[in-house]
Amino acid sequence: MEEIAARVGQNLAELRQNFSSGRTRGLEWRKTQLRAILKLVAENEDEIFEALNRDLGKHPVEAYRDEIGVVKKSAEYSLCHIEKWMAPKKGQLPLLFFPAKAEVLPEPLGVVLIFASWNFPISLALDPLIGAISAGNTVLVKPSELAPACTSFLACKIPLYLDNKAIKVVEGGSDVAEKLLELKWDKIFFTGSARVGRIIMSAAAKHLTPVTLELGGKCPIILDSLSGSDLKVAVKRISGGKWGACAGQACIGIDYVIVQRKFAPVLVELLKKCIKTLYGEEVENLKNICRIVNKNHFGRICNLLEDPSVAASIVYGGSFDKQNLFIEPTILLDPPLDAEIMTEEIFGPLLPIITLDEVEESIEFINARPKPLAIYVFTKNKTFKEKLLQETSSGSVIFNDTMIQFICDGLPFGGVGESGFGRYHGKYSFDTFSHEKAVLHRSFFLELEPRHPPWNGFKLEFIRLAYNFDYIGLLQLLLGLRRRYTSRTVH
Amino acid sequence: MALDVEGMMKELRETYASGKTKSYEWRISQLRALLKIADHHDKEITEALRCDLNKPELESFVYEIASMKSSCQLALKQLRRWMKPEKAKTSLTTFPSSGQIVSEPLGVVLVISAWNFPLLLSLDPVIGAITAGNVVVLKPSEIAPATSALLSKLLEEYMDTSAVKVVEGAADETTALLEQKWDKIFFTGNSKIGRIVLTAAVKHLTPVVLELGGKSPVVVDKNINLKVAARRIIAGKWGCNNGQACVSPDYMITTKDFASQLVDVLRSELETFYGKDPLKSEDLSRIVNSNHFLRLTNLLDDEKVSGKIVHGGQRDKTNLKIAPTILLDVPQDSLIMNEEIFGPLLPILTVNKIEDSIDVINAREKPLAAYLFTNNKRIKEEFIGNVSTGGLVVNDTILHVAEHSLPFGGVGESGMGAYHGKFSFDAFSHKKAVLLRSFAGDVPARYPPYTPGKLKFLKALLNGDVIGLIRALIGW
């Protein structure tokens, strides 16, 4: 323990020293690091595929789409925009302040700690890192010990490509995390569960460290009545989104579906067909789908099906391969709402379908539960769209698709309520790791007497007019053409 | 009367769930009600502030009433624009799609206010909460009891009490409030209580804004208009609640060879402002209570600073007054240099060259504000580039607080989050990302079975590489 404490303490000291030296502030340094990240993923694609396959059984195409491709896109986007982001933003000053200039200047927070999660172990480490670097900070990345091959990869490769005086990786489990959290950071960025999120926030409170918590929740899909090719596309997007992204182990993963009762049978049939096409039949023949990350989570997910009334609601799948940690894509129809499968985030390949009389009831259903990270809605009904947007709250809302908001750099990615706070992606990444410093430049010229004591009625009237930006009134006052304010105490 | 916090929370959640606070009309009606309070009750307000702080009427007007009215008027003017969703750019990667960012209220929010600007620091955040469509509970500071009672009375009379409530009280009431589940907590005060608030927020993962304080330095270079600089420093320090403000210049840094000239000008301008016997001036606030009075006199009586007082030092225990006091060349390890002064004492540190002030400031916790008086462009740029602080003003003090296009907030020990102007609206909003996709343009490459061709396509798509896309499509 002491050895760990000493090691992390030393890392932090070095990062602090290097931040103070100013080496990370310049545009060139930041761009160099961003290019180095691009090089890192480009030159090690096969190794990354291998590591993701070892940790999660992730297929290379999924790996490229959700990990390598995301990192490349983010780094390139940052490289393209960083100079603009770093420039001061001018503020609009009223005439009264003349002569003066106002601007907001982004500056790095300092030394940043990033906790990455295990489900997208490459992109959830490197994407926030891209943000921290773009904003000019020094960074310590702590990848998840639940993805050991990817963690080793990052620990090995990052020092080879990036400036290891300013960017470090620390491997280890909760013992290392604990020691890290005792120290003072200028920002902590955490992706993971709400339970651990609370531990992080608690530790950060001691040092008044601002945090971004990217958590999760039960992200619902609402499927309105659709038909024909639209319905087929919707089902495909739901299947792809649910099982095609780390086998449901994703923060924005689809947790459950809400559909109008009369459409449930059609939906189940279409889903079954889709699953067979995309992922295969029977657990032994599963393909193109990740496995469950470890025995713990495997056990947790299987337990969700232990409850007899839950088991009875299974309409497809339900089998598992304990040896290889695979669970078949499973569909349940109306499991009891108070069962754990409907009160806890599933984070696995089980898909409950909840039926309601009318699809509009889904709004009340969702509002009775903690705010999710995302709500997915498949509908062509404009009124329903508006109502849902106005009356529910979530990190984001996606109409007619799933998961894809993750690659949209123009949209902030983050939660609200139990699903977290803070956001990133695109410029939001830069902002999340920056402090926006307000700067006001004034000149010595044109000093306004009424600003200073001793106070009198004239000065009060002057200031009163000034607050109303009543320039004509001010002129009148100065020319003696205006009555002064009088009161008992101010003469 | 025991505080039924849970009953109150239930009522507030029901009000929020009813959706009424989301409407533009409701928000406008509440803002107009706040303006009415300021217009019709300004005399009662200035009396309460005299009672709590002996605040001069003009200061009450400028820093409390007019500031709050200005916030209200800006919100009234801009609210429709602020409430409009913002278009977000989507790229080829998600074509065809359109994106927008929708501002929505967070829900039920708690505003904990401070005692030094008890009206403004209560109502300014409440204005933010209301403009964003939330329901709000205000907990004013018990250290300014007359203002607290007046706020309770006036808000009950003018505001929609099913959505806007005031809870008066001290530590017990605050603790009871902090145990509840809030969708946002906005706190103004010191960092010790700030930590308590942040720790309490963990239970419900409540986001917080902490407007704290710190030791805001004012650095004075040579070759400036010294008279104007001195007046602006005095206005910011003693003319603003007698130094009891989070953005007051706390301590000063200047060069060894300039110090005595600076002190002379400060002395003479102080006399112009407050007369030969400042303890008798009606234009200076008193120290808020005997606790703080004792705390401040202890700083003066610290043996490390004995002999360092070059102006002032007089005190009146009965009336809780301390005269504007300047100390020169205090040791860095004295008490006065190790805590936020929050009073009318101004220690001056001297350095060999003015650039050294940057290291002196950076060796300490990040302040809420930093002030620099100079005409030297290079020094200005170096200072702005290297001093991390909430806000920074060149050649003036505290004025940035009045500029609503600038975010007002701290960094590091001086706080997190910001407000004023649209930043207030944003602080109390959730910015929901909305992506609208079409059913058309479904890309097979997204789905299994995965093939090398699909990989090529995806690579091109994610890179926004149109040629690559076409090639991949033709390659099939």
Side-chain angles (χ1 to χ4, degrees):
Chain A
M1 261 319 225
E2 271 171 32
E3 191 245 301
I4 296 176
R7 188 163 40 100
V8 303
Q10 199 184 358
N11 274 331
L12 176 58
E14 210 181 316
L15 289 170
R16 240 184 225 298
Q17 198 183 14
N18 282 296
F19 179 74
S20 302
S21 75
R23 80 194 276 128
T24 63
R25 307 290 297 255
L27 176 64
E28 275 323 303
W29 181 88
R30 304 183 203 194
K31 280 184 144 171
T32 308
Q33 300 311 300
L34 292 172
R35 285 189 202 109
I37 291 180
L38 283 172
K39 216 163 162 231
L40 192 162
V41 293
E43 289 177 3
N44 294 283
E45 223 175 78
D46 287 335
E47 263 191 74
I48 294 175
F49 287 150
E50 170 66 35
L52 285 165
N53 187 41
R54 291 239 305 271
D55 283 338
L56 293 153
K58 207 173 268 207
H59 190 286
V61 175
E62 207 188 302
Y64 190 87
R65 186 196 66 199
D66 296 345
E67 307 250 22
I68 298 176
V70 167
V71 172
K72 272 196 77 180
K73 165 202 67 70
S74 291
E76 272 158 12
Y77 191 86
S78 280
L79 273 165
C80 194
H81 293 94
I82 189 172
E83 209 169 337
K84 193 163 57 112
W85 295 344
M86 283 171 70
K89 277 200 292 271
K90 294 227 171 300
Q92 284 278 25
L93 282 180
L95 185 60
L96 195 67
F97 281 76
F98 181 82
K101 185 174 84 159
E103 54 188 16
V104 177
L105 188 64
E107 56 176 36
L109 287 162
V111 187
V112 165
L113 173 61
I114 294 174
F115 284 103
S117 175
W118 51 261
N119 50 350
F120 299 89
I122 302 292
S123 57
L124 292 180
L126 297 182
D127 209 352
L129 176 61
I130 287 167
I133 288 172
S134 306
N137 301 279
T138 54
V139 193
L140 183 75
V141 180
K142 158 88 184 58
S144 170
E145 70 279 17
L146 296 192
C150 289
T151 297
S152 286
F153 170 83
L154 290 169
C156 168
K157 297 291 177 179
I158 284 180
L160 294 179
Y161 286 80
L162 275 70
D163 177 356
N164 61 13
K165 286 192 161 42
I167 299 163
K168 295 186 186 293
V169 180
V170 154
E171 294 182 80
S174 54
D175 48 351
V176 170
E178 211 182 289
K179 286 297 160 199
L180 287 171
L181 289 172
E182 281 169 12
L183 306 173
K184 178 179 156 80
W185 303 90
D186 299 309
K187 174 94 186 194
I188 299 178
F189 186 101
F190 170 79
T191 308
S193 71
R195 185 187 65 85
V196 179
R198 283 176 166 84
I199 296 172
I200 306 276
M201 193 178 163
S202 215
K206 295 195 191 69
H207 299 288
L208 289 175
T209 299
V211 305
T212 292
L213 298 179
E214 296 274 336
L215 310 177
K218 292 181 79 61
C219 299
I221 288 193
I222 304 169
L223 183 60
D224 197 359
S225 58
L226 298 168
S227 54
S229 63
D230 289 346
L231 181 56
K232 286 212 175 66
V233 169
V235 171
K236 211 168 181 201
R237 289 177 178 178
I238 294 171
S239 307
K242 174 74 183 185
W243 295 286
C246 212
Q249 301 164 102
C251 52
I252 43 167
I254 299 148
D255 194 277
Y256 63 100
V257 177
I258 299 176
V259 74
Q260 200 182 357
R261 195 153 293 121
K262 62 184 186 193
F263 292 118
V266 174
L267 174 61
V268 171
E269 286 316 303
L270 285 172
L271 278 170
K272 280 185 191 169
K273 245 174 101 186
C274 213
I275 290 170
K276 288 174 189 165
T277 315
L278 302 186
Y279 306 110
E281 273 183 78
E282 310 292 338
V283 71
E284 309 81 59
N285 303 323
L286 277 184
K287 50 191 163 77
N288 304 317
I289 189 172
C290 287
R291 64 152 210 271
I292 306 307
V293 68
N294 63 17
K295 287 200 180 69
N296 240 5
H297 279 275
F298 185 88
R300 179 186 63 78
I301 299 169
C302 291
N303 270 346
L304 295 176
L305 299 174
E306 287 284 299
D307 181 342
S309 47
V310 173
S313 69
I314 296 176
V315 294
Y316 180 84
S319 60
F320 20 97
D321 172 358
K322 198 168 175 184
Q323 181 102 349
N324 298 305
L325 298 178
F326 277 102
I327 297 178
E328 203 188 343
T330 300
I331 308 172
L332 305 94
L333 188 55
D334 280 322
L337 295 178
D338 59 354
E340 220 179 305
I341 199 173
M342 281 310 296
T343 59
E344 295 295 314
E345 186 176 3
I346 296 169
F347 226 68
L350 318 178
L351 182 69
I353 298 175
I354 306 296
T355 62
L356 299 173
D357 288 327
E358 301 296 334
V359 81
E360 283 81 4
E361 290 168 22
S362 57
I363 292 177
E364 206 185 307
F365 188 91
I366 290 171
N367 284 345
R369 291 163 169 73
K371 298 176 187 181
L373 190 51
I375 297 176
Y376 303 104
V377 190
F378 286 84
T379 184
K380 288 183 129 163
N381 181 334
K382 213 165 174 222
T383 317
F384 179 58
K385 256 191 211 153
E386 273 314 307
K387 197 160 187 272
L388 186 118
L389 256 184
Q390 289 299 319
E391 296 182 17
T392 61
S393 182
S394 56
S396 55
V397 180
I398 290 80
F399 289 103
N400 305 330
D401 211 333
T402 59
M403 315 293 281
I404 204 161
Q405 75 278 28
F406 195 71
I407 51 172
C408 249
D409 282 320
L411 287 174
F413 183 81
V416 64
E418 279 285 314
S419 50
F421 51 77
R423 56 212 188 148
Y424 73 129
H425 286 181
K427 181 172 191 287
Y428 302 101
S429 290
F430 177 87
D431 291 342
T432 225
F433 290 102
S434 298
H435 165 57
E436 298 207 304
K437 183 163 74 181
V439 182
L440 182 63
H441 299 253
R442 289 264 295 158
S443 152
F444 287 105
F445 175 63
L446 214 65
E447 175 60 357
L448 286 178
E449 267 313 304
R451 282 182 62 181
H452 310 301
W455 302 127
N456 55 42
F458 173 89
K459 292 187 179 182
L460 181 54
E461 186 64 6
F462 186 99
I463 294 173
R464 192 187 291 279
L465 290 165
Y467 260 104
N468 287 336
F469 303 110
D470 182 354
Y471 298 110
I472 303 218
L474 277 171
L475 199 58
Q476 288 175 324
L477 182 68
L478 287 167
L479 293 172
L481 298 171
R482 199 178 170 93
R483 279 227 329 223
R484 294 177 185 193
Y485 173 86
T486 50
S487 84
R488 286 172 293 144
T489 53
V490 180
H491 4 266
Chain B
M1 191 168 68
L3 172 67
D4 175 18
V5 178
E6 291 185 12
M8 178 186 75
M9 295 304 290
K10 186 160 178 284
E11 190 194 339
L12 288 168
R13 288 222 171 268
E14 273 163 16
T15 304
Y16 182 69
S18 76
K20 89 163 145 172
T21 64
K22 290 187 181 177
S23 78
Y24 174 78
E25 288 71 25
W26 183 86
R27 305 183 205 194
I28 294 290
S29 74
Q30 297 305 288
L31 290 172
R32 289 205 181 107
L34 284 169
L35 270 181
K36 272 214 190 102
I37 291 178
D39 284 333
H40 299 176
H41 298 272
D42 56 335
K43 291 206 174 39
E44 282 171 73
I45 292 170
T46 48
E47 259 161 50
L49 290 166
R50 253 298 169 202
C51 187
D52 283 335
L53 295 150
N54 200 36
K55 198 171 276 211
E57 190 170 339
L58 199 135
E59 262 191 58
S60 295
F61 178 75
V62 171
Y63 292 118
E64 306 247 22
I65 300 173
S67 292
M68 169 248 165
K69 280 183 65 172
S70 164
S71 281
C72 258
Q73 280 154 349
L74 181 73
L76 279 165
K77 198 165 154 207
Q78 301 285 344
L79 184 58
R80 225 182 252 290
R81 199 161 62 93
W82 293 348
M83 283 174 70
K84 261 213 200 103
E86 207 187 299
K87 271 214 160 332
K89 223 172 140 200
T90 55
S91 64
L92 180 65
T93 322
T94 53
F95 182 84
S97 64
S98 72
Q100 53 176 212
I101 300 164
V102 172
S103 295
E104 56 178 36
L106 287 160
V108 184
V109 311
L110 172 64
V111 172
I112 301 177
S113 173
W115 54 259
N116 54 346
F117 296 87
L119 184 89
L120 179 68
L121 297 178
S122 296
L123 296 184
D124 216 352
V126 165
I127 289 167
I130 288 173
T131 51
N134 301 279
V135 302
V136 54
V137 172
L138 168 66
K139 160 70 188 72
S141 171
E142 70 280 13
I143 299 180
T147 312
S148 175
L150 184 63
L151 279 168
S152 188
K153 169 170 154 259
L154 291 174
L155 277 118
E156 178 147 355
E157 204 181 309
Y158 283 81
M159 310 294 285
D160 175 354
T161 53
S162 71
V164 179
K165 294 192 186 293
V166 180
V167 170
E168 290 193 82
D172 287 341
E173 286 76 8
T174 310
T175 306
L177 286 170
L178 287 172
E179 279 166 8
Q180 304 306 310
K181 176 174 155 70
W182 302 95
D183 298 305
K184 181 102 186 194
I185 299 176
F186 188 104
F187 170 80
T188 308
N190 69 45
S191 60
K192 178 163 146 270
I193 311 290
R195 281 171 165 82
I196 294 172
V197 171
L198 193 50
T199 305
V202 170
K203 190 157 132 212
H204 299 288
L205 289 172
T206 301
V208 304
V209 171
L210 298 178
E211 294 274 332
L212 309 177
K215 292 183 80 60
S216 300
V218 52
V219 176
V220 186
D221 192 11
K222 293 188 269 231
N223 303 319
I224 54 170
N225 185 331
L226 191 47
K227 190 159 179 227
V228 170
R231 309 188 100 198
R232 290 176 179 181
I233 291 168
I234 294 170
K237 174 81 175 184
W238 294 283
C240 183
N241 212 25
N242 207 11
Q244 299 166 101
C246 52
V247 286
S248 277
D250 185 280
Y251 67 103
M252 186 178 273
I253 306 177
T254 191
T255 45
K256 289 188 181 346
D257 55 1
F258 193 59
S260 60
Q261 200 183 342
L262 177 54
V263 171
D264 285 338
V265 178
L266 280 170
R267 274 212 207 103
S268 95
E269 291 304 318
L270 275 168
E271 201 179 301
T272 311
F273 281 25
Y274 303 115
K276 280 199 184 324
D277 190 359
L279 290 179
K280 293 209 168 66
S281 169
E282 278 299 300
D283 291 336
L284 273 176
S285 296
R286 66 153 208 267
I287 306 306
V288 67
N289 61 21
S290 48
N291 259 357
H292 281 275
F293 183 88
L294 189 59
R295 180 183 65 76
L296 289 163
T297 51
N298 275 344
L299 296 181
L300 285 179
D301 296 338
D302 176 10
E303 56 185 27
K304 292 208 171 93
V305 308
S306 69
K308 305 287 183 187
I309 299 178
V310 294
H311 181 84
Q314 308 97 300
R315 32 190 120 162
D316 172 356
K317 195 169 177 185
T318 320
N319 294 306
L320 295 177
K321 286 191 163 202
I322 298 178
T325 301
I326 303 175
L327 305 92
L328 183 56
D329 276 324
V330 297
Q332 296 247 25
D333 63 347
S334 52
L335 283 173
I336 202 172
M337 284 310 297
N338 282 296
E339 60 176 70
E340 186 176 1
I341 296 167
F342 226 70
L345 320 177
L346 181 70
I348 303 181
L349 301 178
T350 57
V351 290
N352 289 327
K353 46 185 191 1
I354 204 68
E355 292 86 335
D356 295 344
S357 61
I358 295 176
D359 286 337
V360 171
I361 296 169
N362 284 347
R364 297 169 172 283
E365 297 293 351
K366 298 176 186 182
L368 186 55
Y371 306 108
L372 171 66
F373 285 84
T374 187
N375 277 322
N376 182 324
K377 195 165 181 227
R378 184 187 55 84
I379 296 200
K380 195 168 69 154
E381 274 166 21
E382 225 183 287
F383 195 87
I384 293 175
N386 290 297
V387 172
S388 183
T389 163
L392 202 157
V393 186
V394 179
N395 298 334
D396 213 324
T397 58
I398 72 173
L399 218 59
H400 62 304
V401 174
E403 179 34 52
H404 287 186
S405 69
L406 289 173
F408 179 68
V411 63
E413 278 287 313
S414 51
M416 53 180 79
Y419 73 130
H420 284 184
K422 183 170 187 283
F423 301 100
S424 290
F425 176 84
D426 292 342
F428 288 99
S429 297
H430 166 55
K431 302 289 181 175
K432 184 160 74 179
V434 180
L435 184 63
L436 193 59
R437 288 264 294 161
S438 150
F439 287 100
D442 201 36
V443 170
R446 284 174 67 178
Y447 311 104
Y450 297 127
T451 62
K454 286 188 178 180
L455 182 55
K456 270 211 200 92
F457 184 92
L458 270 177
K459 281 189 176 185
L461 189 67
L462 281 165
N463 292 339
D465 174 7
V466 184
I467 309 286
L469 262 177
I470 295 174
R471 271 219 224 107
L473 281 166
I474 294 174
W476 281 3

